[in-house]
């Protein structure tokens, strides 16, 4: 628990504003996943649009979020780093959305991840659905 608190504080120091952890269990199987919402108030230097940022980020692609406009989406999967992930050795799938905040230089970053390798395709669908609910008022 202390390591989780330490990680949450570290995320807060670099712009993390909300952290969601799944404690859902289906058929006795825990559906481990997380969502970290971060704000980059000064934005990405030299990136005014999603297309600018997509050219800068490896594997970034511009997608349209119905209620939030253009965003840069990245997806990656790979072996975890036990030092960084509280001892976990499970492969982790991560989906990141970078969304420009209207009428500002800021960007909102949604970082979803799951160590559920066998369920990763379905979890990615869930992550994409959640990101699709973002909207500006």
């Amino acid at each position: 628990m202390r390591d989780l608190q330490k990680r949450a504080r570290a995320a807060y120091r670099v712009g993390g504003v909300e952290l969601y952890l799944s404690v859902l269990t289906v058929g006795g199987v825990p559906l481990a996943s997380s969502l970290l919402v971060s704000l980059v108030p000064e934005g990405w230097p030299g990136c005014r649009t999603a297309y600018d940022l997509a050219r800068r980020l490896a594997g970034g692609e511009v997608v349209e979020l119905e209620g939030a406009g253009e965003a840069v989406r990245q997806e990656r999967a790979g072996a975890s780093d036990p030092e960084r992930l509280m001892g976990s050795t499970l492969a982790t799938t991560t989906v990141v959305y970078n969304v420009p905040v209207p009428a500002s230089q800021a960007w909102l970053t949604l970082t979803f991840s799951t160590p559920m390798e066998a369920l990763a395709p379905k979890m990615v669908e869930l992550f994409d659905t959640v990101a699709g609910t973002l909207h500006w008022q």
Side-chain angles (χ1 to χ4, degrees):
M1 183 63 150
R2 289 180 201 261
D3 198 35
L4 180 57
Q5 290 171 332
K6 180 180 167 185
R7 304 253 179 229
R9 281 192 296 275
Y12 175 76
R13 283 192 298 274
V14 294
V17 292
E18 294 190 37
L19 174 64
Y20 300 91
L21 301 172
S22 171
V23 294
L24 182 64
T25 300
V26 176
V29 176
L31 297 180
S33 63
S34 65
L35 164 58
L36 174 63
V37 180
S38 303
L39 184 65
V40 183
E42 301 302 317
W44 291 84
C47 297
R48 300 183 69 121
T49 69
Y51 289 95
D52 293 338
L53 185 57
R55 281 190 290 276
R56 188 170 177 183
L57 297 178
E61 66 173 320
V62 176
V63 297
E64 182 73 24
L65 299 178
E66 188 174 326
E70 292 174 343
V72 179
R73 182 186 183 280
Q74 295 171 282
E75 181 178 337
R76 62 184 175 273
S80 73
D81 176 357
E83 287 290 316
R84 201 173 61 85
L85 296 175
M86 298 185 297
S88 174
T89 58
L90 300 173
T92 300
T93 299
T94 303
V95 178
V96 179
Y97 281 85
N98 287 286
V99 188
V101 176
S104 78
Q105 294 180 24
W107 288 72
L108 191 68
T109 301
L110 308 174
T111 305
F112 300 90
S113 64
T114 183
M116 306 297 295
E117 189 173 6
L119 298 176
K122 290 297 180 188
M123 295 299 283
V124 167
E125 282 183 41
L126 174 64
F127 299 159
D128 290 338
T129 299
V130 171
T133 66
L134 179 65
H135 65 278
W136 306 115
Q137 291 188 18

